[in-house]
Amino acid sequence: GGEVKLMRICGFQKTTLLDYPEHVAATIFVGGCNFRCPFCHNGQLVLTPDDQPEVPCDEILSFLKKRRGILDGVCITGGEPTLQEGLADFIRRVKELEYLVKLDTNGYRPNVLEELLGERLIDYVAMDIKASPEGYAAAAGLQHIDMERVKESIRILLSCGVPYEFRTTVVKGIHRPEDFEEIGKLIKGAGAYYLQGFRESESMIGSGYQAFSREEMESMAALAGKYVEKVNIRGVDG
């Protein structure tokens, strides 16, 4: 009953083999974010979501209906999906089509995460860990960060019983190798943690950032690996 609150969808990728581990998925990009990470590569979704073309929800749902059996997953990313009032409504409609749903989030709205998991609307969660606690605000592009919200989302995922991953985009100018000891402690006991290589993009919010080498990232992974079961490196050449 009641009116369906719609999501503001600004982008749609019809097929991806990369976004949802072991699944063929479609990816939906929502506009708007509560962070301003200077190294964000989807800057236009964050800073000017209202200027982005909007993709009607119904168009996406009818595409998903046609693709049943070919696609098996839907990734919802952004921007920050948990800011969208219509998120739960939209996912319910996707679940009616029997898709698996993966949510990408910065974990800054733990209550939304908890509701979605409680209602069994999501099957996989990828949560960004932006930095060590002391560097978090700078990495998120904010004056101040409420680390309790981030920690609460971490606790929710560690105990939710749904597959999840934590991941950090590793950026020279934001991170130092020794930060990964603190990040390891922050997500202690996690099943899966990925260090992602930084790549420049046209629509980045800040500038002057660089990637670390694979060797440097391997030493960071080893530091985090003291606290986490499985640490992998993703998106790095060589």
Side-chain angles (χ1 to χ4, degrees), residues 3 8 14 21 26 43 66 79 95 97-98 105 114 132 138 162 177 179 181 183 189 194 201 213 228 232 237:
E3 186 193 347
R8 179 157 172 82
K14 290 180 172 176
K66 286 205 234 27
K95 294 302 275 175
L97 300 173
E98 297 178 357
T105 183
E114 198 159 40
S132 65
V162 164
D179 294 339
E181 179 98 24
I183 291 174
Y194 292 89
S201 95
S213 69
V228 174
N232 284 327
D237 305 326

Side-chain angles (χ1 to χ4, degrees), residues 37-212:
C37 308
F39 53 91
C40 177
H41 63 273
N42 282 345
Q44 75 282 28
L45 289 178
V46 170
L47 298 175
T48 55
D50 294 341
D51 298 348
Q52 303 309 309
E54 194 169 342
V55 187
C57 290
D58 290 341
E59 202 174 288
I60 287 173
L61 291 164
S62 66
F63 171 84
L64 292 173
K65 191 175 277 181
K66 286 205 234 27
R67 282 299 163 98
R68 283 208 284 202
I70 299 165
L71 299 176
D72 56 1
V74 175
C75 306
I76 303 177
T77 189
E80 175 51 49
T82 61
L83 295 173
Q84 298 282 327
E85 264 190 88
L87 181 61
D89 277 342
F90 180 76
I91 297 176
R92 281 185 205 107
R93 294 171 72 176
V94 171
K95 294 302 275 175
E96 281 165 15
L97 300 173
E98 297 178 357
Y99 279 94
L100 294 166
V101 173
K102 170 181 178 257
L103 178 75
D104 289 355
T105 183
N106 61 22
Y108 212 47
R109 298 195 75 196
N111 52 326
V112 175
L113 193 54
E114 198 159 40
E115 282 164 24
L116 295 171
L117 287 163
E119 210 188 309
R120 303 208 165 155
L121 290 176
I122 35 185
D123 305 285
Y124 191 99
V125 181
M127 177 175 159
D128 289 318
I129 301 293
K130 296 295 177 183
S132 65
E134 64 169 330
Y136 225 93
L142 303 178
Q143 299 287 191
H144 166 79
I145 193 108
D146 179 359
M147 275 310 290
E148 278 317 304
R149 292 205 211 177
V150 173
K151 288 176 179 169
E152 179 63 17
S153 286
I154 293 167
R155 282 195 292 271
I156 289 166
L157 291 184
L158 286 172
S159 63
C160 72
V162 164
Y164 64 85
E165 66 181 55
F166 294 109
R167 59 195 190 178
T168 300
T169 300
V170 186
V171 188
K172 205 177 272 191
I174 298 279
H175 302 109
R176 299 164 313 178
E178 57 270 29
D179 294 339
F180 289 82
E181 179 98 24
E182 295 311 310
I183 291 174
K185 291 177 185 167
L186 190 63
I187 58 170
K188 192 172 180 217
Y193 179 45
Y194 292 89
L195 302 187
Q196 298 185 158
F198 166 73
R199 287 171 188 255
E200 284 219 52
S201 95
E202 292 296 294
S203 66
M204 225 162 59
I205 290 178
S207 62
Y209 297 104
Q210 286 170 320
F212 284 96

Side-chain angles (χ1 to χ4, degrees), residues 8-13 19 27-31 42 45 75-79:
R8 179 157 172 82
I9 297 170
C10 298
F12 183 46
Q13 190 180 350
D19 291 350
T27 301
I28 286 163
F29 298 87
V30 305
N42 282 345
L45 289 178
C75 306
I76 303 177
T77 189

